[in-house]
Structures are given as C-alpha cells and as structure tokens.
Amino acid sequence: MKKTLLFLVAGFFFLNNLPAQKPIEQKEIRLVQYMPNIPFPYKMKNWKDIATKQDRLFYDFNAKGQNLPLIWWDDSQINFPFRTFGLPSYVDKRRLGGNSYESLPTMGSLISASLIGVDKSNDDGKDYVSMIRQFFNKKNGTNLILNGLDRKAGESFWYEIWPAMAYSMLVDLYPQKTEMQEPMKITIDNWYAAIQDLSEGREYPDFNFTFKNRKGYHNKVWREPDAAAGLAWLQYISWIKYGDKKYLNATRQCMAFLQNRPEKEGTFYEIMMPYGAYLAVRMNAELGTAYDELKMLNWCFDGNNSDRDGWGVMCERWNKYDVHGLVGQKKDEQYAFAMNTFSQAAALVPIVKYNPAYASTIGKWMLNLANACRLFYADEHPRNRQSSSIWEGDPQHVICYEGLRKDLYHGNHFEPFQGLLSDEGPYAIGDQVKTMSSATDICLYGSAWVGMLASIVDTTNVECILQLDCNATDFYSTRKYPTYLLFNPYFEAKEVTLNQHFTEPTDLYDLVSKKYIKKNCTGETSIILNPDNAVTIVCIPASAKKTKKHGKLIVDGEIVDYRL
C-alpha cells in the first residue's frame, strides 16, 4: 500500500512538473529568413473591427448610396425549394441581382463573420448558412458544390475544389446545422471517386492535369498538380468527421503524389497547396507519417513552380513600402492578392500546434503579412495610387481591392489609366476595370475572406508583438484549449500581457520550450518573451489531469503536445 501511494505521488509530481527538456529546435521556411524582423513602415490595422464592419455593410439590405445595397435575395430556387442571397464579386451595379453570381464572396463572407463570433445562422432572424446549400449543383446532375448555382466541373481545379473546402469549413463552424451535411457528403464522395479514377493503373493519382468528366486532361495552357493538396484536405477532414477509412486512404493517395514530386518541381497556384503543407505537418503529428513538411512549405513561398512559375510569397520592398508576406504572382506580374493572402495565413498558422519547430518562422512571416495587408485597402493610398477611388460607398474602407501591384510596367496593365495614376507604386488595383468588366476593382470576392486574418491576429501591449490564435482556423481539429503563437522580433526581452482574462486558475504550457512558463494564472497575465524568439502557449486548466504517454502530453484525454 505504501509503495502504491508513493508511486502515485511520484507520478503526480512528474506529470505536473515535467522534467527539463531542450527547447525544440526551430526550422526556417527558406524565404522567411530574408524578411525583416520588423517591417517598415509599421502600421497594424484593427482586423477584427474591419471584419465586423464589412459584415454589417455586406448584409445591409437598406444600405444607401452608389452601387448599394450589395446584397440581394435570389428566389430562383435552382437547386433547392428555398430562397438564397447573392453578393457581387466586385462593386458594380451591373453585377447586382440575378442568379449568376459566384459562391466565393458569399461563402467567404459567412466564414469570415462566423470566425469573429457572428452567428450567421441566426442573423436578425435570417439563416444565411442553410441558404448556401443552393451551391450544391444537383439540378444539372453535377452533384458538386461549385462556384455558382449552375456550374459543371472542367475548367480549373482550384475553382472547383475551393468552394467545397469553404462549404466544409462552414459545416465545421455550424455542426448543429445537420441539413448542411448531405451536400458535403455527396460532394466528398464524388471527389473520392475522381481520385480513384485518376489512380487507375497507378500506385497513386496523377494530378498533372486540369480536370474534366472525372478524368485528367491537358488544356494546353496550364496544369494544376496542387489539386492533390485540396483534395487531400477534403478527404482527411471527411475521415475525421465520418470515420470511414476510405477517406484516409484517399488522403494518403493524394499526399503520395505530393511527397513523390521532386522538390525542384514545385507546385503552387492560387490557394490549395498551403492546405497540403498544413496536412503534411498535421498527419506527421497525428498519424506518425513522414511527409516532407519543409519541401511543401517552401513550395508555398519560393515561387519556383514547374507549372505556374512565380506563384508564392512576396519578399521585397515596393518603393517605400515593405510588402513581405503577401501572396501572389511574384515574378512576371508582381501582383499580390487579398483572398490568397488571407487564406494562406489561415492554412499555416495552425501548424505550430502540431510542430512548434515552425513557431519563429511562422510568427515572423505573419508579422510581415498582417502589416502589409493594409495595402489592399483604399485608405492606405492616395487617390492616384488606386484604380477605383471614385467609389464612395465605403467611407470606412472595410472592403479591399482585389490586389496590389508593384509598378506600371507589366503587360501594359495600366494602359487604361495613363495620366491618372502616379509614377510610383505600389498600386491598389484589380483585373476588372482595365477590361471594363466592372466599374470598380473593389473586390468582395477577395475581401470577404478577411475574417480568416481577423480571427487569428490580435495586437498586444508591445508594438510589433502579435498574439496569433492557432485554433481559429484549424478546422476539424481539437480546439479545446486556447493556443497562441507570440513572436518577439526585438533583440531584447519584452514583457507581454496576454489578451486573455482567466476566470479559473490556468497553467501556461509552451510547446517550444517544453515547460510551464506560468502556473495558476488568474485574471490578466504577463509573460517574458526572449529576444528574437517565439512561444506557442497552450492555456490549460490548472486542475486538469496531465499525463505523458508515447511521447505525448495528454490533458484530460486531449493531446496537447505531440513532441514531448
């Protein structure tokens, strides 16, 4: 009895006072090492405020002014016998109304608002979430969630997969909306069948194509091998949700394509590859796989791609502004895009939960990205450094431009604006005004996703030290314990107050240093950040049961640290 009691006491002491370990060695995403610790000029927007005000403007049926309101009811009932709503891709009265709008602004706006705490399933009595089922294209027999109400697959992989990913994110955000699940399940199963078709006679599928009629084909213009990343993500979250191992097997098939692709043959276009890199890190932690995380992460940044060369992350200064961290075409066009930047942040910030070796490099990149994203907005530019300053329907400047360009000299993009724009960039602009496809380049299509950034980024009491929420965009995962990434860009220690008020005694466990940096915290809490260093803090109830098993730290049955 005495021995048993002694063993229990010793075990309790060990689990609550973990033996000292070496901090986990940090890994560097290749491009990020060339970014400044502190971007200049530094100006951090209040992203949560922007996302909140954007939601109010988007969903105001009574908004007054030119090209307002932006929202309208669609009673065409193409796929289901209920009304839905539309938002235009760009601000232009010609784009208001009807049923030929894209799903990306509407689904992006719902995800954004939901991530910052707005319940879009009961917004002034309206259930906008259930309405989004109309984008399940069943009337035409396609049976996929796509970028419109009457679309068919066969144009571009990312346009066909990303809407399904966005819809699945909404299903995760609203688990009580059971009616949302059938369109997701059918869509996932159809993509599962496509993966099997692309694998016929092969060890794993070949994605060196575009896609049509569940077969790969080359349109003689481009290939989209990073479709493997988007489909892998869809299949993995389906395995988590439904528990059917066929989805895990399909995930492994898609990931095998990426794993076996030579590093020099990078693949990244638009939006999906970061979700493949995220999945490599997560699966390595959760399943013990051995995917080449850094190879896939570097593909998302470098821009050295065999198919869409140049797509990656900006790492330079445009005239008087640091634009480090923004995502887009960094070679031929030097053109960064809002939606792609917001979504890449959402995909990659959570990886530090699964491998905290990336804490410093992700923290540094996100500081640069969150700072530079302000340049997508009209109020950050003089009138002659933007293409659509004429529109005055957004005096708070909460809807951004489609993108940001470096200069005037690529592809005669600015020919329609000669004499109107200044000789020095960067320029807030888009692809619509130049082709007269829209009256403005103010872009709901991209701006709608800002809630992804807003849900992640908080400032602290120390300028340039951000508190990044690692749970906010980690869909279909355990988000039981608040987890934050903080990076100190200074070459001196800083005392930082967390934006978290603890009502119950809480222990702060750092995944990087492998130790509790504070215990029994209540109320407002400050921590010391070492110079040029990062922490990934998990906020654990002090009373929780902590155990170590198979090299993992488990708290009340939930894995907190995969690399103990």
Side-chain angles (χ1 to χ4, degrees), residues 332-364:
D332 296 336
E333 293 186 275
Q334 295 180 292
Y335 193 177
F337 294 96
M339 176 179 64
N340 310 77
T341 302
F342 299 148
S343 66
Q344 185 149 324
L348 296 184
V349 167
I351 70 172
V352 301
K353 290 171 53 178
Y354 304 101
N355 189 348
Y358 299 109
S360 287
T361 196
I362 293 294
K364 181 179 177 180

PDB file of all heavy atoms in Angstrom, residues 332-364:
ATOM      1  N   ASP A 332       6.569  37.373 -62.880  1.00  0.00           N
ATOM      2  CA  ASP A 332       6.172  38.070 -64.103  1.00  0.00           C
ATOM      3  C   ASP A 332       5.353  39.331 -63.837  1.00  0.00           C
ATOM      4  O   ASP A 332       5.612  40.384 -64.410  1.00  0.00           O
ATOM      5  CB  ASP A 332       5.374  37.125 -65.006  1.00  0.00           C
ATOM      6  CG  ASP A 332       6.214  35.952 -65.474  1.00  0.00           C
ATOM      7  OD1 ASP A 332       7.446  36.090 -65.491  1.00  0.00           O
ATOM      8  OD2 ASP A 332       5.642  34.899 -65.805  1.00  0.00           O
ATOM      9  N   GLU A 333       4.351  39.216 -62.966  1.00  0.00           N
ATOM     10  CA  GLU A 333       3.433  40.333 -62.767  1.00  0.00           C
ATOM     11  C   GLU A 333       3.715  41.152 -61.518  1.00  0.00           C
ATOM     12  O   GLU A 333       3.331  42.306 -61.449  1.00  0.00           O
ATOM     13  CB  GLU A 333       1.996  39.816 -62.697  1.00  0.00           C
ATOM     14  CG  GLU A 333       1.475  39.238 -63.993  1.00  0.00           C
ATOM     15  CD  GLU A 333       0.005  38.893 -63.879  1.00  0.00           C
ATOM     16  OE1 GLU A 333      -0.304  37.787 -63.394  1.00  0.00           O
ATOM     17  OE2 GLU A 333      -0.832  39.729 -64.260  1.00  0.00           O
ATOM     18  N   GLN A 334       4.304  40.534 -60.493  1.00  0.00           N
ATOM     19  CA  GLN A 334       4.490  41.189 -59.195  1.00  0.00           C
ATOM     20  C   GLN A 334       3.150  41.762 -58.712  1.00  0.00           C
ATOM     21  O   GLN A 334       2.946  42.960 -58.630  1.00  0.00           O
ATOM     22  CB  GLN A 334       5.581  42.244 -59.286  1.00  0.00           C
ATOM     23  CG  GLN A 334       6.950  41.617 -59.572  1.00  0.00           C
ATOM     24  CD  GLN A 334       8.054  42.643 -59.674  1.00  0.00           C
ATOM     25  OE1 GLN A 334       8.080  43.438 -60.607  1.00  0.00           O
ATOM     26  NE2 GLN A 334       8.956  42.626 -58.719  1.00  0.00           N
ATOM     27  N   TYR A 335       2.290  40.829 -58.389  1.00  0.00           N
ATOM     28  CA  TYR A 335       0.879  41.130 -58.163  1.00  0.00           C
ATOM     29  C   TYR A 335       0.411  40.274 -56.981  1.00  0.00           C
ATOM     30  O   TYR A 335       0.317  39.055 -57.076  1.00  0.00           O
ATOM     31  CB  TYR A 335       0.116  40.759 -59.433  1.00  0.00           C
ATOM     32  CG  TYR A 335      -1.302  41.236 -59.578  1.00  0.00           C
ATOM     33  CD1 TYR A 335      -2.004  40.952 -60.759  1.00  0.00           C
ATOM     34  CD2 TYR A 335      -1.962  41.964 -58.596  1.00  0.00           C
ATOM     35  CE1 TYR A 335      -3.305  41.372 -60.954  1.00  0.00           C
ATOM     36  CE2 TYR A 335      -3.265  42.383 -58.779  1.00  0.00           C
ATOM     37  CZ  TYR A 335      -3.936  42.086 -59.962  1.00  0.00           C
ATOM     38  OH  TYR A 335      -5.233  42.509 -60.143  1.00  0.00           O
ATOM     39  N   ALA A 336       0.126  40.899 -55.853  1.00  0.00           N
ATOM     40  CA  ALA A 336      -0.327  40.187 -54.651  1.00  0.00           C
ATOM     41  C   ALA A 336      -1.848  40.263 -54.563  1.00  0.00           C
ATOM     42  O   ALA A 336      -2.449  41.269 -54.949  1.00  0.00           O
ATOM     43  CB  ALA A 336       0.296  40.793 -53.400  1.00  0.00           C
ATOM     44  N   PHE A 337      -2.453  39.207 -54.009  1.00  0.00           N
ATOM     45  CA  PHE A 337      -3.911  39.117 -53.956  1.00  0.00           C
ATOM     46  C   PHE A 337      -4.403  38.958 -52.521  1.00  0.00           C
ATOM     47  O   PHE A 337      -3.811  38.219 -51.722  1.00  0.00           O
ATOM     48  CB  PHE A 337      -4.405  37.939 -54.798  1.00  0.00           C
ATOM     49  CG  PHE A 337      -4.147  38.103 -56.267  1.00  0.00           C
ATOM     50  CD1 PHE A 337      -3.024  37.545 -56.850  1.00  0.00           C
ATOM     51  CD2 PHE A 337      -5.016  38.835 -57.053  1.00  0.00           C
ATOM     52  CE1 PHE A 337      -2.773  37.701 -58.207  1.00  0.00           C
ATOM     53  CE2 PHE A 337      -4.778  39.003 -58.404  1.00  0.00           C
ATOM     54  CZ  PHE A 337      -3.647  38.430 -58.990  1.00  0.00           C
ATOM     55  N   ALA A 338      -5.531  39.612 -52.232  1.00  0.00           N
ATOM     56  CA  ALA A 338      -6.065  39.623 -50.869  1.00  0.00           C
ATOM     57  C   ALA A 338      -6.563  38.252 -50.436  1.00  0.00           C
ATOM     58  O   ALA A 338      -6.179  37.740 -49.379  1.00  0.00           O
ATOM     59  CB  ALA A 338      -7.190  40.655 -50.764  1.00  0.00           C
ATOM     60  N   MET A 339      -7.453  37.637 -51.219  1.00  0.00           N
ATOM     61  CA  MET A 339      -8.030  36.356 -50.809  1.00  0.00           C
ATOM     62  C   MET A 339      -6.942  35.320 -50.567  1.00  0.00           C
ATOM     63  O   MET A 339      -6.977  34.577 -49.583  1.00  0.00           O
ATOM     64  CB  MET A 339      -8.997  35.824 -51.868  1.00  0.00           C
ATOM     65  CG  MET A 339      -9.551  34.442 -51.530  1.00  0.00           C
ATOM     66  SD  MET A 339     -10.731  33.789 -52.733  1.00  0.00           S
ATOM     67  CE  MET A 339      -9.709  33.619 -54.192  1.00  0.00           C
ATOM     68  N   ASN A 340      -5.977  35.262 -51.447  1.00  0.00           N
ATOM     69  CA  ASN A 340      -4.935  34.252 -51.345  1.00  0.00           C
ATOM     70  C   ASN A 340      -4.062  34.468 -50.113  1.00  0.00           C
ATOM     71  O   ASN A 340      -3.630  33.514 -49.464  1.00  0.00           O
ATOM     72  CB  ASN A 340      -4.091  34.285 -52.611  1.00  0.00           C
ATOM     73  CG  ASN A 340      -4.953  34.245 -53.855  1.00  0.00           C
ATOM     74  OD1 ASN A 340      -5.547  35.254 -54.231  1.00  0.00           O
ATOM     75  ND2 ASN A 340      -5.061  33.100 -54.473  1.00  0.00           N
ATOM     76  N   THR A 341      -3.836  35.730 -49.776  1.00  0.00           N
ATOM     77  CA  THR A 341      -3.042  36.043 -48.594  1.00  0.00           C
ATOM     78  C   THR A 341      -3.792  35.668 -47.320  1.00  0.00           C
ATOM     79  O   THR A 341      -3.234  35.034 -46.422  1.00  0.00           O
ATOM     80  CB  THR A 341      -2.673  37.531 -48.583  1.00  0.00           C
ATOM     81  OG1 THR A 341      -1.955  37.862 -49.788  1.00  0.00           O
ATOM     82  CG2 THR A 341      -1.799  37.869 -47.383  1.00  0.00           C
ATOM     83  N   PHE A 342      -5.067  36.048 -47.254  1.00  0.00           N
ATOM     84  CA  PHE A 342      -5.867  35.715 -46.070  1.00  0.00           C
ATOM     85  C   PHE A 342      -5.945  34.204 -45.864  1.00  0.00           C
ATOM     86  O   PHE A 342      -5.812  33.700 -44.751  1.00  0.00           O
ATOM     87  CB  PHE A 342      -7.280  36.284 -46.198  1.00  0.00           C
ATOM     88  CG  PHE A 342      -7.354  37.782 -46.306  1.00  0.00           C
ATOM     89  CD1 PHE A 342      -8.370  38.396 -47.044  1.00  0.00           C
ATOM     90  CD2 PHE A 342      -6.429  38.603 -45.671  1.00  0.00           C
ATOM     91  CE1 PHE A 342      -8.458  39.776 -47.140  1.00  0.00           C
ATOM     92  CE2 PHE A 342      -6.511  39.984 -45.765  1.00  0.00           C
ATOM     93  CZ  PHE A 342      -7.526  40.576 -46.499  1.00  0.00           C
ATOM     94  N   SER A 343      -6.159  33.478 -46.955  1.00  0.00           N
ATOM     95  CA  SER A 343      -6.352  32.034 -46.822  1.00  0.00           C
ATOM     96  C   SER A 343      -5.051  31.307 -46.497  1.00  0.00           C
ATOM     97  O   SER A 343      -5.060  30.297 -45.782  1.00  0.00           O
ATOM     98  CB  SER A 343      -6.977  31.445 -48.094  1.00  0.00           C
ATOM     99  OG  SER A 343      -6.091  31.539 -49.185  1.00  0.00           O
ATOM    100  N   GLN A 344      -3.916  31.811 -46.993  1.00  0.00           N
ATOM    101  CA  GLN A 344      -2.653  31.151 -46.669  1.00  0.00           C
ATOM    102  C   GLN A 344      -2.315  31.329 -45.190  1.00  0.00           C
ATOM    103  O   GLN A 344      -1.799  30.405 -44.552  1.00  0.00           O
ATOM    104  CB  GLN A 344      -1.507  31.680 -47.538  1.00  0.00           C
ATOM    105  CG  GLN A 344      -0.192  30.936 -47.309  1.00  0.00           C
ATOM    106  CD  GLN A 344       0.675  30.863 -48.533  1.00  0.00           C
ATOM    107  OE1 GLN A 344       0.191  30.730 -49.657  1.00  0.00           O
ATOM    108  NE2 GLN A 344       1.981  30.945 -48.361  1.00  0.00           N
ATOM    109  N   ALA A 345      -2.638  32.489 -44.642  1.00  0.00           N
ATOM    110  CA  ALA A 345      -2.466  32.682 -43.198  1.00  0.00           C
ATOM    111  C   ALA A 345      -3.327  31.686 -42.430  1.00  0.00           C
ATOM    112  O   ALA A 345      -2.883  31.064 -41.460  1.00  0.00           O
ATOM    113  CB  ALA A 345      -2.830  34.115 -42.815  1.00  0.00           C
ATOM    114  N   ALA A 346      -4.579  31.519 -42.883  1.00  0.00           N
ATOM    115  CA  ALA A 346      -5.492  30.599 -42.205  1.00  0.00           C
ATOM    116  C   ALA A 346      -4.992  29.168 -42.257  1.00  0.00           C
ATOM    117  O   ALA A 346      -5.140  28.403 -41.297  1.00  0.00           O
ATOM    118  CB  ALA A 346      -6.879  30.693 -42.836  1.00  0.00           C
ATOM    119  N   ALA A 347      -4.381  28.785 -43.364  1.00  0.00           N
ATOM    120  CA  ALA A 347      -3.907  27.410 -43.522  1.00  0.00           C
ATOM    121  C   ALA A 347      -2.688  27.117 -42.663  1.00  0.00           C
ATOM    122  O   ALA A 347      -2.573  26.026 -42.081  1.00  0.00           O
ATOM    123  CB  ALA A 347      -3.579  27.137 -44.994  1.00  0.00           C
ATOM    124  N   LEU A 348      -1.770  28.068 -42.542  1.00  0.00           N
ATOM    125  CA  LEU A 348      -0.453  27.747 -41.994  1.00  0.00           C
ATOM    126  C   LEU A 348      -0.228  28.138 -40.538  1.00  0.00           C
ATOM    127  O   LEU A 348       0.641  27.558 -39.885  1.00  0.00           O
ATOM    128  CB  LEU A 348       0.644  28.372 -42.868  1.00  0.00           C
ATOM    129  CG  LEU A 348       0.710  27.820 -44.301  1.00  0.00           C
ATOM    130  CD1 LEU A 348       1.884  28.430 -45.050  1.00  0.00           C
ATOM    131  CD2 LEU A 348       0.800  26.295 -44.319  1.00  0.00           C
ATOM    132  N   VAL A 349      -0.958  29.091 -40.005  1.00  0.00           N
ATOM    133  CA  VAL A 349      -0.763  29.421 -38.585  1.00  0.00           C
ATOM    134  C   VAL A 349      -0.994  28.208 -37.684  1.00  0.00           C
ATOM    135  O   VAL A 349      -0.228  27.976 -36.742  1.00  0.00           O
ATOM    136  CB  VAL A 349      -1.646  30.618 -38.167  1.00  0.00           C
ATOM    137  CG1 VAL A 349      -1.692  30.753 -36.642  1.00  0.00           C
ATOM    138  CG2 VAL A 349      -1.095  31.912 -38.786  1.00  0.00           C
ATOM    139  N   PRO A 350      -2.009  27.365 -37.948  1.00  0.00           N
ATOM    140  CA  PRO A 350      -2.234  26.228 -37.036  1.00  0.00           C
ATOM    141  C   PRO A 350      -1.120  25.185 -37.014  1.00  0.00           C
ATOM    142  O   PRO A 350      -1.101  24.340 -36.113  1.00  0.00           O
ATOM    143  CB  PRO A 350      -3.539  25.607 -37.568  1.00  0.00           C
ATOM    144  CG  PRO A 350      -4.226  26.716 -38.283  1.00  0.00           C
ATOM    145  CD  PRO A 350      -3.123  27.509 -38.905  1.00  0.00           C
ATOM    146  N   ILE A 351      -0.192  25.192 -37.961  1.00  0.00           N
ATOM    147  CA  ILE A 351       0.798  24.107 -37.993  1.00  0.00           C
ATOM    148  C   ILE A 351       1.682  24.101 -36.756  1.00  0.00           C
ATOM    149  O   ILE A 351       2.236  23.057 -36.401  1.00  0.00           O
ATOM    150  CB  ILE A 351       1.689  24.145 -39.263  1.00  0.00           C
ATOM    151  CG1 ILE A 351       2.650  25.332 -39.262  1.00  0.00           C
ATOM    152  CG2 ILE A 351       0.844  24.094 -40.521  1.00  0.00           C
ATOM    153  CD1 ILE A 351       3.676  25.296 -40.388  1.00  0.00           C
ATOM    154  N   VAL A 352       1.802  25.240 -36.069  1.00  0.00           N
ATOM    155  CA  VAL A 352       2.690  25.269 -34.898  1.00  0.00           C
ATOM    156  C   VAL A 352       2.102  24.470 -33.736  1.00  0.00           C
ATOM    157  O   VAL A 352       2.831  24.133 -32.797  1.00  0.00           O
ATOM    158  CB  VAL A 352       3.004  26.719 -34.465  1.00  0.00           C
ATOM    159  CG1 VAL A 352       3.676  27.479 -35.599  1.00  0.00           C
ATOM    160  CG2 VAL A 352       1.755  27.451 -33.990  1.00  0.00           C
ATOM    161  N   LYS A 353       0.825  24.162 -33.778  1.00  0.00           N
ATOM    162  CA  LYS A 353       0.248  23.264 -32.772  1.00  0.00           C
ATOM    163  C   LYS A 353       0.800  21.851 -32.929  1.00  0.00           C
ATOM    164  O   LYS A 353       1.004  21.132 -31.948  1.00  0.00           O
ATOM    165  CB  LYS A 353      -1.280  23.208 -32.922  1.00  0.00           C
ATOM    166  CG  LYS A 353      -2.015  24.458 -32.536  1.00  0.00           C
ATOM    167  CD  LYS A 353      -3.479  24.379 -32.911  1.00  0.00           C
ATOM    168  CE  LYS A 353      -4.186  23.149 -32.402  1.00  0.00           C
ATOM    169  NZ  LYS A 353      -5.631  23.141 -32.759  1.00  0.00           N
ATOM    170  N   TYR A 354       1.023  21.453 -34.166  1.00  0.00           N
ATOM    171  CA  TYR A 354       1.447  20.092 -34.470  1.00  0.00           C
ATOM    172  C   TYR A 354       2.960  19.947 -34.534  1.00  0.00           C
ATOM    173  O   TYR A 354       3.490  18.875 -34.258  1.00  0.00           O
ATOM    174  CB  TYR A 354       0.807  19.644 -35.793  1.00  0.00           C
ATOM    175  CG  TYR A 354      -0.699  19.766 -35.764  1.00  0.00           C
ATOM    176  CD1 TYR A 354      -1.343  20.833 -36.379  1.00  0.00           C
ATOM    177  CD2 TYR A 354      -1.465  18.837 -35.076  1.00  0.00           C
ATOM    178  CE1 TYR A 354      -2.732  20.955 -36.335  1.00  0.00           C
ATOM    179  CE2 TYR A 354      -2.853  18.953 -35.023  1.00  0.00           C
ATOM    180  CZ  TYR A 354      -3.484  20.012 -35.656  1.00  0.00           C
ATOM    181  OH  TYR A 354      -4.853  20.134 -35.591  1.00  0.00           O
ATOM    182  N   ASN A 355       3.638  21.016 -34.910  1.00  0.00           N
ATOM    183  CA  ASN A 355       5.101  21.020 -34.898  1.00  0.00           C
ATOM    184  C   ASN A 355       5.573  22.431 -34.543  1.00  0.00           C
ATOM    185  O   ASN A 355       5.705  23.294 -35.417  1.00  0.00           O
ATOM    186  CB  ASN A 355       5.684  20.592 -36.240  1.00  0.00           C
ATOM    187  CG  ASN A 355       7.184  20.380 -36.164  1.00  0.00           C
ATOM    188  OD1 ASN A 355       7.832  20.755 -35.178  1.00  0.00           O
ATOM    189  ND2 ASN A 355       7.765  19.773 -37.189  1.00  0.00           N
ATOM    190  N   PRO A 356       5.853  22.669 -33.264  1.00  0.00           N
ATOM    191  CA  PRO A 356       6.265  24.011 -32.823  1.00  0.00           C
ATOM    192  C   PRO A 356       7.640  24.418 -33.317  1.00  0.00           C
ATOM    193  O   PRO A 356       8.081  25.530 -33.045  1.00  0.00           O
ATOM    194  CB  PRO A 356       6.223  23.907 -31.293  1.00  0.00           C
ATOM    195  CG  PRO A 356       6.371  22.456 -31.008  1.00  0.00           C
ATOM    196  CD  PRO A 356       5.705  21.728 -32.129  1.00  0.00           C
ATOM    197  N   ALA A 357       8.312  23.541 -34.079  1.00  0.00           N
ATOM    198  CA  ALA A 357       9.591  23.918 -34.679  1.00  0.00           C
ATOM    199  C   ALA A 357       9.419  25.068 -35.674  1.00  0.00           C
ATOM    200  O   ALA A 357      10.393  25.732 -36.035  1.00  0.00           O
ATOM    201  CB  ALA A 357      10.232  22.720 -35.380  1.00  0.00           C
ATOM    202  N   TYR A 358       8.175  25.331 -36.106  1.00  0.00           N
ATOM    203  CA  TYR A 358       7.927  26.409 -37.064  1.00  0.00           C
ATOM    204  C   TYR A 358       7.427  27.684 -36.393  1.00  0.00           C
ATOM    205  O   TYR A 358       7.007  28.626 -37.077  1.00  0.00           O
ATOM    206  CB  TYR A 358       6.899  25.945 -38.106  1.00  0.00           C
ATOM    207  CG  TYR A 358       7.365  24.745 -38.906  1.00  0.00           C
ATOM    208  CD1 TYR A 358       6.780  23.500 -38.716  1.00  0.00           C
ATOM    209  CD2 TYR A 358       8.400  24.851 -39.824  1.00  0.00           C
ATOM    210  CE1 TYR A 358       7.211  22.386 -39.433  1.00  0.00           C
ATOM    211  CE2 TYR A 358       8.834  23.750 -40.548  1.00  0.00           C
ATOM    212  CZ  TYR A 358       8.243  22.525 -40.342  1.00  0.00           C
ATOM    213  OH  TYR A 358       8.668  21.432 -41.050  1.00  0.00           O
ATOM    214  N   ALA A 359       7.491  27.751 -35.079  1.00  0.00           N
ATOM    215  CA  ALA A 359       6.913  28.897 -34.368  1.00  0.00           C
ATOM    216  C   ALA A 359       7.564  30.212 -34.772  1.00  0.00           C
ATOM    217  O   ALA A 359       6.877  31.197 -35.071  1.00  0.00           O
ATOM    218  CB  ALA A 359       7.018  28.684 -32.859  1.00  0.00           C
ATOM    219  N   SER A 360       8.875  30.270 -34.778  1.00  0.00           N
ATOM    220  CA  SER A 360       9.562  31.535 -35.085  1.00  0.00           C
ATOM    221  C   SER A 360       9.344  31.961 -36.530  1.00  0.00           C
ATOM    222  O   SER A 360       9.073  33.132 -36.814  1.00  0.00           O
ATOM    223  CB  SER A 360      11.056  31.403 -34.792  1.00  0.00           C
ATOM    224  OG  SER A 360      11.301  31.397 -33.407  1.00  0.00           O
ATOM    225  N   THR A 361       9.447  31.021 -37.463  1.00  0.00           N
ATOM    226  CA  THR A 361       9.341  31.385 -38.880  1.00  0.00           C
ATOM    227  C   THR A 361       7.911  31.782 -39.241  1.00  0.00           C
ATOM    228  O   THR A 361       7.690  32.731 -39.998  1.00  0.00           O
ATOM    229  CB  THR A 361       9.861  30.239 -39.776  1.00  0.00           C
ATOM    230  OG1 THR A 361      10.096  30.728 -41.092  1.00  0.00           O
ATOM    231  CG2 THR A 361       8.921  29.058 -39.831  1.00  0.00           C
ATOM    232  N   ILE A 362       6.904  31.100 -38.678  1.00  0.00           N
ATOM    233  CA  ILE A 362       5.511  31.478 -38.927  1.00  0.00           C
ATOM    234  C   ILE A 362       5.200  32.803 -38.234  1.00  0.00           C
ATOM    235  O   ILE A 362       4.516  33.672 -38.800  1.00  0.00           O
ATOM    236  CB  ILE A 362       4.548  30.374 -38.455  1.00  0.00           C
ATOM    237  CG1 ILE A 362       4.709  29.111 -39.316  1.00  0.00           C
ATOM    238  CG2 ILE A 362       3.107  30.862 -38.491  1.00  0.00           C
ATOM    239  CD1 ILE A 362       4.298  29.262 -40.759  1.00  0.00           C
ATOM    240  N   GLY A 363       5.712  32.986 -37.024  1.00  0.00           N
ATOM    241  CA  GLY A 363       5.485  34.240 -36.315  1.00  0.00           C
ATOM    242  C   GLY A 363       6.059  35.439 -37.056  1.00  0.00           C
ATOM    243  O   GLY A 363       5.417  36.494 -37.169  1.00  0.00           O
ATOM    244  N   LYS A 364       7.266  35.285 -37.580  1.00  0.00           N
ATOM    245  CA  LYS A 364       7.914  36.374 -38.322  1.00  0.00           C
ATOM    246  C   LYS A 364       7.171  36.669 -39.615  1.00  0.00           C
ATOM    247  O   LYS A 364       6.933  37.837 -39.965  1.00  0.00           O
ATOM    248  CB  LYS A 364       9.365  35.976 -38.604  1.00  0.00           C
ATOM    249  CG  LYS A 364      10.176  37.019 -39.345  1.00  0.00           C
ATOM    250  CD  LYS A 364      11.605  36.511 -39.538  1.00  0.00           C
ATOM    251  CE  LYS A 364      12.462  37.473 -40.326  1.00  0.00           C
ATOM    252  NZ  LYS A 364      13.846  36.964 -40.508  1.00  0.00           N
TER     253      LYS A 364
END
